[in-house]
Amino acid sequence: RLQNQIGSDIMMALDDVVDAKNVDHARFTEACDRTIRWIDRCIAAHGNKARQNLFGIIQGGLDTRGGGLRERCLDGMLERDADLPGYAIGGLAGGEG
């Protein structure tokens, strides 16, 4: 809602970021599922679709295999494609410091 209020042109949905070096597959699965749940909340809160663009963020760590977490998250976003004019690839630069 804050991004609507300040007039952002492109709004990035809230996502659950996991350190790319993490080796806990269950944590990446949780982040993927949570990110998909949160996009529904972001879509519901999006108040100015005519002037502002809400982008979904694709999570899933480094799991790029067919049927993997990245694909699963992308599929979840594509099911909401009518509400999302764009996507970002998330989780590749979080927490490496």
Side-chain angles (χ1 to χ4, degrees), residues 55-94:
F55 278 36
I57 301 179
I58 309 304
Q59 285 296 341
L62 301 176
D63 187 358
T64 59
R65 63 191 164 85
L69 291 176
R70 288 264 175 206
E71 187 172 310
R72 179 172 154 184
C73 193
L74 177 60
D75 288 345
M77 296 296 165
L78 291 174
E79 289 174 11
R80 295 143 178 90
D81 194 52
D83 294 302
L84 302 172
Y87 303 93
I89 305 300
L92 297 178

Side-chain angles (χ1 to χ4, degrees), residues 1-8 11 42 45-49 52:
R1 291 186 183 128
L2 177 62
Q3 292 185 76
N4 280 137
Q5 292 171 351
I6 65 172
S8 297
M11 302 180 298
C42 292
H46 188 12
N48 195 356
K49 294 178 184 179
Q52 296 174 301

